[in-house]
Amino acid sequence: MGNIEQLRKTPEVSLAQLEADISMGRPSTSLASIALPDYVEHQDGVPRVGALSAEAVVRDYEAAAKEMEAMGAELIDAAKKCEAMTAEVHNAIAYMRDTAAAYREEAKKIFKRIEDCALFTEDVRKTCEQVKRRMIDGPNTN
């Protein structure tokens, strides 16, 4: 009960002075110039201090909601950048696959060329051996 008596002994708060103090705390705008969001409406008979408190709270919530929406827009932008990067990665992967296929095709050509050269060299070696035997054995041997 001591607390109740102390509250009664405090001087009354001037609502006009309170509103002026609040307005002074926000020098760039006054509370009256900040429109309430469409989703709230004052009830009839609400005392001025309650209305001002409710307005302050809803404005803070609205500011936070707008920040969240702005963050959502930033996330959408980041997602678009990720999608673009993903598309670039897919293009790079396709290029790597094409390059790998070209390397395999080139390896196949070189492999065949080397084996063709080896067969040709083997034929040349056999021909040289035959010519050499003919030279040693003479022209009558067949």
Side-chain angles (χ1 to χ4, degrees), residues 89-138:
V89 166
H90 287 296
N91 290 339
I93 290 169
Y95 176 76
M96 287 180 211
R97 285 183 181 148
D98 292 345
T99 303
Y103 267 60
R104 287 185 178 104
E105 195 59 38
E106 188 64 23
K108 183 179 175 180
K109 289 177 189 176
I110 291 171
F111 180 85
K112 178 150 178 26
R113 194 176 312 153
I114 290 171
E115 284 195 343
D116 288 347
C117 286
L119 287 172
F120 181 74
T121 302
E122 183 66 22
D123 284 346
V124 168
R125 191 186 59 73
K126 286 180 183 177
T127 302
C128 287
E129 283 180 12
Q130 289 173 356
V131 169
K132 189 190 289 179
R133 271 191 235 136
R134 283 187 194 162
M135 287 174 36
I136 294 173
D137 294 340

Side-chain angles (χ1 to χ4, degrees), residues 26-91:
R26 298 177 65 119
S28 62
T29 58
S30 69
L31 288 176
S33 70
I34 303 172
L36 285 177
D38 295 338
Y39 55 87
V40 293
E41 186 177 304
H42 286 293
Q43 298 178 42
D44 290 337
V46 174
R48 181 113 174 109
V49 72
L52 288 173
S53 297
E55 285 180 19
V57 169
V58 80
R59 285 186 178 110
D60 281 346
Y61 272 81
E62 182 62 21
K66 286 183 179 182
E67 287 294 323
M68 288 179 218
E69 289 172 340
M71 199 175 358
E74 289 176 20
L75 286 174
I76 289 170
D77 185 48
K80 287 179 182 178
K81 288 178 183 176
C82 286
E83 288 171 357
M85 189 183 312
T86 300
E88 288 177 21
V89 166
H90 287 296
N91 290 339

